[in-house]
Amino acid sequence: MTSTQVDPTPPPTAPAPRWRSWLLDGLSEQSARHPGPHGTPPAEHKGHSWWRVMCLTGVDYFSTLGYQPGIAALAAGLLSPFATLVLIALTLLGALPVYRRVAKESPQGEGSIAMLERLLPWWAGKLLVLVLLGFAATDFVITMTLSAADASAHVVENPFAPAALHGANLWITLLLLAALGAVFLKGFREAIGIAVALVGVYLVLNVVVLATSAWQVLSHPVAVGNWWGAMTAQHSSPLAIVGVALLVFPKLALGMSGFETGVAVMPQVRGDAGDDPAKPAGRIRDTRRLLTTAALIMSVFLLLSSLATTILIPQKEFAPGGSANGRALAYLAHEHLGEAFGTVYDISTIAILWFAGASAMAGLLNLVPRYLPRYGMAPEWTRAVRPLVLIFMAIAFGITIVFDASVDDQSGAYATGVLVLMLSASFASTVAARHRGHRGATIGFGAITLVFGYTLVTNVIERPDGLKIALLFILGILLTSFASRVHRAFELRAADVVFDETAERLIEEALAAGPLRVIANEPDERNAADYREKEYSQREETHIPDRGPVLFLEVLVEDSSDFTAELHVHGVEEHGARILRVQGAGVPNTIAAVLMQLRERTGQVPHIYFNWTEGHPFSHLLRFLVFGDGEVAPVAREVLRRAEPDLRRRPRVHVG
């Protein structure tokens, strides 16, 4: 029998519409996996100094000064400075050590989610990642909406704002979000230069405001006496003060946001010239320096701002509708430095709050493509930036409308997302320390995990709306992820197919005698009788020529929850049989991918021979989706049909 030479030139395809090309611009394995300013830079990119990268994460972390003092005063009242001290203690003694460990364990910016993914095998690890992605999406999306809402509050409360803007917080917030989306749709190339300028100006203005506030306090010591007297009148016992501060602390937890972003920006840190890409010691050292410096700066600002706002601003102004609600430091800037300086401060605050949303958006654009397409739980187009931007902006618009652009109402959801990510990071650090035999670190990180767990539970009990929103994100991610997995189940799912030397020799020898004839074999007993019986039954049932050589193809499934993998085909000669063995995530998809690669390498269409499998079709379908096997023959044929629409070029499937 003679074989038919196949023309390897694929048929011409129609050009994609211009809008589609624009929407999917940059869709590739490397660029789409790490888009945005927090992604992995190209090889020629030398990175940035750690302090410059700190400003990139600082637009998220430092911008919380715009609303954190007001939220703290609203939650803790006159005890706000003491509750802030608790927050600072947990930041420096809890979150900072945890994320210094995370930076060491995931120097490529994967964060704690990747650390936990490695702990659980099979579908359990994938489900854990999906749940954590739901909380991460809550954190980042609420960062965008809450920051934009607080920026709109600064716009409306400015004395020079037109009267038409009063009460228009919702529309201003939506406009700011739309502008944020437009930036990413146009192309968000380099953020660090802008971030350095924004953070520098914002921190300098805050130093001026806090220095002026300190002068006001020192010039009027009666203000301190009035605050202290009112506080001790409400809480006469020092133990009561400490107890109440601990109880209200969970409401202030959003003041610890920014650590997860700080780890995500690691690939942008320059490090040392001789860093090992697998374990870049210089990058790890400088990232730890970044995290420590940011935490110390923020702790000082949080304590001083809490003291200044609590002592100098009447408590009624912090309530919803009050002049200091969501803008406590801006209130002081206008009150003590004049309307002109206050307006400059407002503009700076609006800019950094708006750019905090950009940092959160970049975090989402790095996080989602890193996991979901790799799991097969999102279409390939989600590796492109612009489609994801449109999806995230639609979600942000919906949340803003539901909460009517209220900073206070969104703070619970924000804190929930932040605390879950910190809890996961502390737990991952505990496990990592235990695996390395560091007993002291294990105990320390375990204690931090318990504290974050208590804080999260308390926050959820007091503000269940945050958990409800997070559960909606999780449910949405789970439903869309598994729907995508089912929809993409019949793809080839192979990043590449590589044959070793023995496999190439076996293929060449079989090809010399005519078309490639491959028998799909379940690798069970692997003895001489098993191979002889398999070959005899296939020759009899599917009419393989008696003298024609055959190759056995055996697929081993180690983790069926994986979606794509690089396939390494190993050639083996044993028991008188010539065998190609390969490990993949699914039997039929792996067989189809190997056949397609055989066609490309040899220029001839291979033939594959199967046996029917007994059992109910529905149970086989479930086995395929969950375990990667099931009824292999029809699924392999369907995968080939979708991969190659040209019948002349499609590998032949025979079933006996």
Side-chain angles (χ1 to χ4, degrees), residues 258-340:
F259 280 100
E260 197 74 25
T261 310
V263 174
V265 301
M266 279 192 72
Q268 293 285 346
V269 178
R270 180 183 298 141
D272 296 334
D275 271 352
D276 178 3
K279 197 171 183 62
R283 180 192 293 173
I284 293 172
R285 179 199 64 235
D286 286 348
T287 302
R288 288 179 155 189
R289 188 177 297 168
L290 177 158
L291 294 170
T292 302
T293 305
L296 290 173
I297 292 174
M298 190 63 176
S299 296
V300 171
F301 274 99
L302 281 175
L303 181 59
L304 294 178
S305 63
S306 178
L307 284 168
T309 54
T310 304
I311 294 173
L312 296 177
I313 300 177
Q315 285 295 303
K316 64 179 181 178
E317 299 294 344
F318 293 112
S323 300
N325 181 252
R327 53 185 302 276
L329 289 176
Y331 177 96
L332 293 178
H334 284 273
E335 185 75 14
H336 300 295
L337 289 165
E339 304 297 358

Side-chain angles (χ1 to χ4, degrees), residues 363-383:
L364 282 169
L365 294 177
N366 286 313
L367 204 58
V368 171
R370 190 184 294 275
Y371 293 100
L372 294 185
R374 178 163 59 90
Y375 293 170
M377 293 180 173
E380 279 299 310
W381 54 258
T382 57
R383 292 189 186 276

